Amino acid sequence: MSQNPSSPTSAPPTPPSAPAGSTSEDRSARVAVTVFPVLILAAAALGFFVPAAGQAISGYTNLFLGIIMFAMGLTLTIPDFSLVLKRPLPVLIGVLAQYVVMPLVGFAVAWVLQLPPELAAGVILVGCAPGGTSSNVINYLSKADTALSVTMTSISTLIAPILTPVLTLWLAGAYMPLDAGEMALSIVKMVLIPVIAGLVIRLVLSRLVDRILPALPWVSVAGISLVVIAVVSGSADQIVSAGALVLLAVVLHNAFGYLLGYWFARVLRQPIRTARTTSIEVGMQNSGLAATLAAQYFSPAAALPGAVFSIWHNLSGAVLAMYYRRTAQRQDADPR
């Protein structure tokens, strides 16, 4: 759920070729990211106080996520993947950090906080998910490398059917049993096929898709909101008993993702702008996917960290964007 929206739990990426603030898609994406946490909080409240609403749609979360990922595919173009050939090292570093830093941080947070098995599995699964597409908009607002962010998100999403179930089985298997093969197949159905379908349609019907691009962030917002309603409605008791603990786990997971993602790139001698891009890309997860998979393969309680992450990483991402943008402006004014 980003996607964000994150994750493909979040708003679709801003086209890297677009000048800052030049398109209605840019403006729509920025508004969606700003309003998204409020809408997700409202969705969580609805699921908590009116659980019947969430239970009525709980069987459709896979469909909602597929729609989100299809919308993401519609925002992609072939040039978004060209950086893999033009700048392979920063792309490799970002994707490697995505699937090394966040899974291990999720495992460490679960161990340090001594989380119950269901919550521990949910936190680890969030860490094993690919990057969320709201990271692309946060990078744009941060004056970081948006084109690199789009490529990182795209590549991490395309390899998720392999790495997400393998890493989850390795790190969370001790907490909860998992059929990694079935999870991989689900990710192919919910993520890979819709993304590729959206990309193909963008190639074939580019003029038509260009007209609807400004509406796509709101498709993602609506989709992840519905996922959160369904997840929260099935976890009301766990929210009451362990809500503060889950929030603490999510805050730590997200914060260390930003920090370690930045230094992962810097230690490998990447420039500051690339390190900031990696920081945001690593810290912001497709938590909508994580919540959906957790509910399907673990339990409703295991989906709770993904739902909370969907809210938190957009709030923290907006704050981080303001910080990065201000420091970038100071560096532009005084390169020393």
Side-chain angles (χ1 to χ4, degrees):
M1 282 224 184
S2 110
Q3 44 15 182
N4 268 92
S6 150
S7 137
T9 60
S10 26
T14 301
S17 59
S22 66
T23 68
S24 58
E25 183 189 359
D26 292 340
R27 292 189 294 272
S28 182
R30 290 200 299 270
V31 171
V33 167
T34 303
V35 175
F36 176 70
V38 177
L39 296 179
I40 294 300
L41 282 171
L46 178 62
F48 184 81
F49 292 108
V50 191
Q55 291 163 6
I57 61 174
S58 61
Y60 300 97
T61 53
N62 290 10
L63 174 62
F64 300 149
L65 187 65
I67 292 172
I68 295 168
M69 301 313 300
F70 177 70
M72 174 189 173
L74 288 175
T75 69
L76 299 177
T77 62
I78 297 300
D80 291 333
F81 298 92
S82 63
L83 283 184
V84 177
L85 299 176
K86 294 178 181 177
R87 297 169 59 194
L89 183 57
V91 174
L92 177 62
I93 288 172
V95 175
L96 185 63
Q98 175 72 53
Y99 283 113
V100 171
V101 171
M102 287 303 275
L104 293 179
V105 170
F107 179 83
V109 167
W111 181 76
V112 170
L113 296 181
Q114 293 294 291
L115 296 177
E118 292 176 317
L119 297 181
V123 169
I124 292 170
L125 182 50
V126 170
C128 297
T133 54
S134 58
S135 64
N136 308 146
V137 182
I138 296 300
N139 268 290
Y140 173 75
L141 298 177
S142 300
K143 297 185 69 175
D145 194 331
T146 307
L148 179 60
S149 174
V150 170
T151 303
M152 288 178 180
T153 301
S154 303
I155 298 300
S156 71
T157 298
L158 292 177
I159 62 178
I162 298 173
L163 292 185
T164 296
V166 168
L167 290 170
T168 304
L169 178 63
W170 177 45
L171 295 173
Y175 290 101
M176 299 277 290
L178 172 66
D179 188 332
E182 283 295 321
M183 178 180 283
L185 184 59
S186 292
I187 297 174
V188 169
K189 293 177 180 178
M190 292 188 295
V191 175
L192 196 59
I193 292 175
V195 168
I196 293 175
L199 177 60
V200 170
I201 290 176
R202 177 76 183 270
L203 286 172
V204 175
L205 302 172
S206 58
R207 292 186 178 180
L208 175 62
V209 173
D210 286 343
R211 295 177 183 176
I212 64 171
L213 281 177
L216 294 181
W218 300 104
V219 173
S220 296
V221 169
I224 191 58
S225 297
L226 292 171
V227 171
V228 168
I229 291 172
V231 168
V232 171
S233 68
S235 310
D237 294 339
Q238 289 81 6
I239 292 173
V240 172
S241 62
L245 185 61
V246 172
L247 178 60
L248 175 61
V250 164
V251 170
L252 291 174
H253 197 181
N254 177 237
F256 277 102
Y258 289 143
L259 182 64
L260 296 178
Y262 178 88
W263 286 108
F264 191 96
R266 291 296 284 162
V267 166
L268 294 175
R269 300 184 177 182
Q270 295 301 299
I272 290 178
R273 190 163 179 250
T274 299
R276 289 174 173 171
T277 303
T278 305
S279 167
I280 295 168
E281 193 65 29
V282 171
M284 303 188 74
Q285 298 293 89
N286 187 341
S287 44
L289 173 63
T292 301
L293 292 174
Q296 183 174 348
Y297 289 98
F298 292 140
S299 70
L304 188 56
V308 175
F309 204 101
S310 294
I311 303 168
W312 177 257
H313 79 157
N314 283 279
L315 293 171
S316 65
V319 173
L320 187 64
M322 288 190 292
Y323 170 74
Y324 278 163
R325 190 176 186 88
R326 288 180 181 177
T327 54
Q329 289 170 341
R330 287 200 297 267
Q331 287 172 348
D332 290 342
D334 184 5
R336 295 175 297 177

